[in-house]
Amino acid sequence: MGAAPGSGWEDGEFEFKLVFEEDPPEHSISIPSPPPSSNQRAGMHSPPPRRAAIREFSGTYESLPARSVQVSESCVVKCPSIQITTISPDEDPQTIPDCWNIGRSGGWDRERLYLPLLDPFTYRDRCPGSLSPSPASSPSSRGWLSPASSCDSLLVEEEELNEATSSFGLSPSSRPTSPGGKKRRNSPLASPCTSRRGSYSEELHACNLEGGDSASQSQAPPSSCELNIPQKTRKTSLEQLSPREADQEQTPGHSSPCPLPDAQQTRRDPPALSMDYLPVPPSLAWGRTRASAHSPLFSNALPPLDWPLPSQFDQYELRIEVQPRPHHRAHYETEGSRGAVKAAPTGHPVVKLCGYTERKPLSLQVFVGTADDRSIRPHPFYQIHVTGKMVGTASHESVQAGTKLLDIPLNPENNMTAIDCAGILKLRNSDIELRKGETDVGRKNTRVRLVFRTHLPLAPPVAAPGRVLALQVASLPIECAQRSAQELPVIESVNLTSCSVEGGEELLLSGTNFLPISRVLFMERGTGKLQWEEEAHVDRDNSNECLLCVRVPAYSDLSISRPVSVSLYVSNGKRKRSSTHCFKYLPLFKEEDPLLSRPSVPPLDGGPVYPAEAPPRMDRGFHMSEDRGLGFHLPPYPAAIAYHEEFCSKADPPGEEPGGSRAALSERHPSFENLELGFTELLPPLYPRVPQPSSPSPSPWLDSPYLSSSPSPSHSSSLSPFPTESPISNSPLPPVPTSPFLQCSAFPPEVCPSPPSNPYQDTCPAPYSHYEGWDPQGRVLGTGQGGEGDAKIPECPLEFTSSASIHHITFEESEFIGEDIQAFQSSSHL
DNA sequence: GCACTGGAAGAACGT
DNA sequence: TCACGTTCTTCCAGT
């Protein structure tokens, strides 16, 4: 943080480090237990309870105010807490001073978490048989734990044990409904315990509160453990407690059915003994603190789930090869499973770890993250859920900081995994919102991302012994609501990300659920208020349900001297608005403003090289290298990769900044700065240089505190230490037609495919390849659902900009986010 | 019978 | 406070 040379961090920011160093054990796999210190989900949301303060009469924790700083009576600013953790008793004391010294010495080490790399098998071997094949149905939501709730770390650990225990058959599933069966109206299960307002998870946990063997408990029908009090009353009495808290609350003597080995016990105990959280000055708004929460690429422990992480480092890259479908109806606890998240048209999401050649097996963690424009964090209202009875992916469900994780082995042969066992469980809004410390609202908060994370044990000189490199990548947003998927318009891509303030440009919006009454509106916000809004003229003749052809309206102020970012969205009526999409108005006149400069990027088709100063029309997404810098989640086409590498080396020769400049970076990823709340604004004047491919690690990036934050695909790539044109983005493409009606952009930006040389293509077709195309009249050309034979990938006549540039938050959500963002952005622009 | 899926009823919520 | 529309949650029925 503040110590990184040149980082530009203001004085007054706290430095911190978690000192947890100890002799790293031998490790052949890097799935250490999550550090208890990270037990707070989504760090900013819920101040973990001070251990000494637990067990109030009310049965609630007394949360520390550390993560919610009340600025004014009506304004509470989230800010990170600083967690200071003592050293484990069995720690090598010699390492401790070193840690501190390192920290004081400045440099990126201040960013490090000196936490122990736990026994690599601790995670799995906590309980016998802890690695279960995925067909084992998970206890689903039974084990959901209030991500945002305050939990003592010990409670977390114990809950994890219980979770593991129940997962592996030490006790029958205690949740009778999901996924094993559905509640019937007349079934005995439909007792008061299963009334609409009852929560299985809650109540079943309550059952366990009675103590005793969990197995026998769970075998009893839910009604038997009905607390026999009004639901609301019961909720109130327990609302401040996550199930696990409640569990712990009422079973002080509760013993894990799977006792920890002593070593592990020892390892677990110390952090909780001295956990404390120091408030960060309220002047640090959450946006900034989030953006500055640069996660250590290398640490001896797993970073918290809400820490932004890069998707790429050096040659290592975690990439989503096949994106999940944009819609997946999550299931409630009271429902049966709705299956695993799927890709389109068939198959499942595929994640690949590139650049890892070791034979050591790795694990891929999957959890459900948020999809708003804040940095990704575990979604409080959704949890990952193992599903599928015939899935091929072995998996292990666990809980970290109240967030369910799916651990899926990464095959060393190809480091590619099809995520065919990941369902999404919806938690009841009321259950979550009433939780103490939870500030998010569940209503209409139905977009999620699948977040994939892996930890690579790297050897020197890349990293110090025992340290791991954490990479994370998030999927495109997934709409989880039933209704929304049917009615809300969805912008999947646009062909234009900016134009002059005069407007008039033709803008093509590709997406779904467009109606004849659909309107396209441009708006600008300031300090949370709508400052300007203008409706674009829609060319109805050339629009259809998947495509809107509009004219960009003129901006309200034609005399702007700098680009102005606005948002656009599609409205099908009140409350039926799409997510917002960033759009930029450019000044009329030219100026030597680096923000306006653009990199000279060789076109893909050998076309002209655009000058750095390009007319607004250059922002048309037809030029893949311009706006398709998603990179990490694109199917790997070897030729494209080769081109990519070659191009990258040419476009950004060593010693030059990626993409030419920071400005270029943001220009090439037009959504970047807005997506991350002005994250790019925080970038240092000298954007970290591209590491020499041949230069030995540690990479110069190690010195940069700006590596973090991959809340969205674009972020990940944008922040990668290499120029981030994705392989696909540089793949040769058919000529781009000027008419938008030759065919729909059947593929969102990340998929505009070249022939499937991907060996996984057969089983994992290109994402979204099912999307229909249209004929000039807008008729559906085909669904591509007919199997591989039909899965012929059409030429991509239209190149749209990345959907990753879509904010993917609803209008209402953006309103809800409100002033925090605006305040941050405005300050960042200064 | 189970897992999965789509639809819809009715409660809860917001305006 | 009420009416109404929207959203959420639960349940049904089909494959």
Side-chain angles (χ1 to χ4, degrees):
Chain A
M1 286 191 183
S7 65
W9 298 113
E10 293 82 0
D11 292 337
E13 282 200 3
F14 282 140
E15 306 167 6
F16 83 95
K17 63 177 83 62
L18 298 177
V19 180
F20 236 67
E21 187 86 283
E22 64 183 84
D23 290 337
E26 294 181 8
H27 43 276
S28 58
I29 188 172
S30 53
I31 303 295
S33 291
S37 57
S38 66
N39 74 339
Q40 65 278 17
R41 180 203 74 83
M44 319 178 310
H45 277 285
S46 28
R50 187 190 301 272
R51 190 163 181 257
I54 61 176
R55 306 298 176 262
E56 301 295 331
F57 287 114
S58 65
T60 65
Y61 292 110
E62 179 169 310
S63 299
L64 293 176
R67 303 210 165 181
S68 262
V69 177
Q70 186 154 8
V71 176
S72 65
E73 191 171 308
S74 61
C75 178
V76 176
V77 176
K78 299 173 188 174
C79 64
S81 302
I82 295 178
Q83 182 175 335
I84 300 177
T85 309
T86 53
I87 309 303
S88 167
D90 60 349
E91 214 161 348
D92 181 358
Q94 292 181 345
T95 63
I96 301 170
D98 291 343
C99 297
W100 288 106
N101 290 335
I102 289 172
R104 292 193 196 96
S105 67
W108 86 278
D109 280 311
R110 289 176 178 244
E111 303 277 334
R112 292 183 182 177
L113 282 173
Y114 292 97
L115 301 176
L117 179 61
L118 302 178
D119 186 301
F121 293 104
T122 296
Y123 197 71
R124 296 185 183 279
D125 293 344
R126 191 172 297 161
C127 294
S130 62
L131 179 58
S132 72
S134 138
S137 72
S138 78
S140 183
S141 57
R142 175 229 155 264
W144 77 264
L145 299 169
S146 54
S149 65
S150 304
C151 300
D152 186 289
S153 59
L154 289 179
L155 305 186
V156 176
E157 296 298 326
E158 188 147 353
E159 179 63 28
E160 290 174 15
L161 289 174
N162 294 337
E163 182 72 22
T165 302
S166 60
S167 295
F168 306 125
L170 295 184
S171 68
S173 170
S174 58
R175 191 171 65 81
T177 56
S178 176
K182 289 188 288 186
K183 178 172 58 181
R184 302 296 175 188
R185 276 202 173 100
N186 298 324
S187 108
L189 294 179
S191 66
C193 190
T194 59
S195 67
R196 285 183 78 91
R197 302 308 308 159
S199 164
Y200 274 98
S201 57
E202 186 177 282
E203 287 152 4
L204 290 170
H205 274 272
C207 292
N208 291 332
L209 304 185
E210 310 285 333
D213 179 83
S214 59
S216 59
Q217 287 284 337
S218 59
Q219 284 174 336
S223 57
S224 68
C225 52
E226 171 58 49
L227 295 180
N228 201 24
I229 56 178
Q231 295 285 344
K232 281 293 184 182
T233 304
R234 176 155 34 114
K235 173 170 288 301
T236 301
S237 65
L238 294 174
E239 66 190 29
Q240 313 299 2
L241 295 174
S242 70
R244 97 179 76 178
E245 290 166 336
D247 196 344
Q248 297 294 328
E249 168 71 23
Q250 302 187 28
T251 57
H254 179 76
S255 60
S256 166
C258 181
L260 287 171
D262 289 343
Q264 294 178 15
Q265 295 267 21
T266 302
R267 195 185 299 278
R268 290 162 190 279
D269 288 340
L273 294 177
S274 59
M275 271 191 6
D276 200 354
Y277 298 85
L278 300 180
V280 168
S283 59
L284 300 174
W286 67 265
R288 167 160 303 222
T289 52
R290 293 306 309 145
S292 62
H294 307 292
S295 45
L297 283 178
F298 298 95
S299 76
N300 279 4
L302 305 187
L305 296 179
D306 62 329
W307 278 44
L309 294 173
S311 64
Q312 183 180 13
F313 180 82
D314 270 354
Q315 77 269 28
Y316 307 105
E317 181 182 9
L318 190 60
R319 177 191 303 172
I320 298 178
E321 298 286 313
V322 178
Q323 288 280 348
R325 286 179 181 172
H327 295 121
H328 174 83
R329 183 172 162 183
H331 66 273
Y332 285 85
E333 299 175 85
T334 49
E335 290 184 303
S337 170
R338 291 193 174 273
V341 176
K342 299 174 185 60
T346 60
H348 295 87
V350 174
V351 176
K352 182 177 185 180
L353 175 62
C354 302
Y356 183 76
T357 56
E358 302 291 325
R359 302 295 297 178
K360 298 173 183 176
L362 294 178
S363 178
L364 182 71
Q365 293 184 333
V366 190
F367 64 94
V368 178
T370 55
D372 56 30
D373 65 350
R374 291 178 277 181
S375 58
I376 286 179
R377 61 201 183 282
H379 203 299
F381 299 95
Y382 293 89
Q383 294 279 6
I384 200 77
H385 161 69
V386 176
T387 187
K389 55 180 180 181
M390 296 297 291
V391 298
T393 305
S395 64
H396 167 227
E397 211 176 51
S398 63
V399 176
Q400 178 178 337
T403 299
K404 274 203 170 184
L405 290 173
L406 221 54
D407 286 315
I408 300 174
L410 271 177
N411 186 344
E413 274 65 44
N414 53 21
N415 286 319
M416 179 175 281
T417 295
I419 314 299
D420 59 355
C421 57
I424 299 177
L425 172 72
K426 173 68 168 66
L427 307 177
R428 281 202 310 239
N429 292 340
S430 59
D431 288 347
I432 307 303
E433 289 167 350
L434 290 174
R435 233 163 28 196
K436 198 167 189 175
E438 181 56 62
T439 56
D440 282 2
V441 294
R443 202 169 175 84
K444 300 179 77 173
N445 186 1
T446 54
R447 282 196 177 98
V448 309
R449 298 176 194 265
L450 286 184
V451 184
F452 304 94
R453 183 178 279 198
T454 191
H455 305 87
L456 292 77
L458 298 181
V462 176
R467 305 235 161 110
V468 297
L469 166 65
L471 297 178
Q472 173 179 302
V473 68
S475 74
L476 295 177
I478 304 168
E479 174 59 55
C480 291
Q482 174 191 11
R483 188 197 71 86
S484 300
Q486 300 164 347
E487 300 179 11
L488 289 180
V490 176
I491 302 175
E492 285 163 358
S493 54
V494 301
N495 73 324
L496 186 67
T497 59
S498 68
C499 81
S500 78
V501 291
E502 292 180 311
E505 293 277 329
E506 182 182 80
L507 173 64
L508 304 177
L509 299 161
S510 168
T512 57
N513 291 339
F514 296 156
L515 304 174
I517 62 168
S518 292
R519 303 160 63 211
V520 178
L521 294 109
F522 288 67
M523 67 170 179
E524 182 186 19
R525 291 172 171 274
T527 62
K529 299 177 181 177
L530 184 65
Q531 289 192 327
W532 167 77
E533 187 173 57
E534 187 69 39
E535 181 174 354
H537 174 263
V538 179
D539 183 353
R540 304 289 175 188
D541 293 337
N542 290 325
S543 299
N544 57 46
E545 63 179 9
C546 299
L547 183 74
L548 288 175
C549 177
V550 304
R551 291 284 168 188
V552 177
Y555 184 60
S556 58
D557 181 6
L558 300 181
S559 62
I560 59 172
S561 58
R562 302 176 69 83
V564 174
S565 290
V566 300
S567 300
L568 66 87
Y569 64 92
V570 176
S571 172
N572 284 355
K574 192 179 180 182
R575 299 176 181 276
K576 292 181 181 178
R577 291 166 168 167
S578 72
S579 45
T580 58
H581 191 291
C582 181
F583 190 84
K584 187 172 288 185
Y585 281 106
L586 304 175
L588 284 175
F589 57 90
K590 251 181 157 183
E591 65 173 354
E592 295 302 321
D593 186 338
L595 284 175
L596 297 178
S597 67
R598 304 185 62 85
S600 295
V601 181
L604 300 172
D605 54 359
V609 175
Y610 291 98
E613 296 280 342
R617 214 179 165 81
M618 249 205 66
D619 262 347
R620 284 207 176 274
F622 296 131
H623 304 289
M624 306 189 74
S625 57
E626 283 297 308
D627 292 309
R628 296 192 63 175
L630 291 183
F632 74 107
H633 59 74
L634 304 178
Y637 301 114
I641 293 175
Y643 184 93
H644 163 70
E645 293 171 350
E646 182 182 9
F647 164 67
C648 289
S649 62
K650 290 178 180 176
D652 293 296
E656 288 196 9
E657 296 167 15
S661 69
R662 167 198 162 191
L665 178 75
S666 60
E667 279 294 295
R668 290 158 70 181
H669 304 280
S671 67
F672 180 72
E673 52 196 85
N674 285 343
L675 267 172
E676 189 48 40
L677 309 177
F679 183 84
T680 53
E681 309 303 321
L682 296 175
L683 294 175
L686 290 178
Y687 198 73
R689 294 175 181 275
V690 179
Q692 299 278 355
S694 57
S695 66
S697 294
S699 154
W701 280 74
L702 287 177
D703 298 324
S704 170
Y706 301 101
L707 272 173
S708 60
S709 180
S710 58
S712 76
S714 59
H715 295 185
S716 303
S717 57
S718 298
L719 287 170
S720 75
F722 298 103
T724 53
E725 280 72 20
S726 68
I728 188 60
S729 71
N730 295 288
S731 62
L733 284 178
V736 175
T738 54
S739 167
F741 303 108
L742 295 180
Q743 190 177 20
C744 165
S745 171
F747 302 85
E750 65 279 10
V751 193
C752 199
S754 53
S757 54
N758 175 1
Y760 303 93
Q761 197 74 40
D762 290 341
T763 54
C764 303
Y768 304 119
S769 57
H770 69 301
Y771 282 14
E772 296 85 354
W774 313 296
D775 65 10
Q777 285 72 43
R779 293 187 298 259
V780 174
L781 291 176
T783 64
Q785 301 274 8
E788 291 180 15
D790 293 339
K792 295 173 183 173
I793 300 174
E795 291 186 345
C796 185
L798 280 184
E799 174 55 25
F800 288 93
T801 59
S802 164
S803 59
S805 66
I806 298 173
H807 283 199
H808 281 293
I809 56 174
T810 65
F811 185 81
E812 292 76 10
E813 285 167 344
S814 62
E815 280 189 344
F816 178 73
I817 293 169
E819 293 184 359
D820 267 354
I821 300 174
Q822 289 298 335
F824 176 79
Q825 286 182 327
S826 58
S827 64
S828 299
H829 279 285
L830 295 177

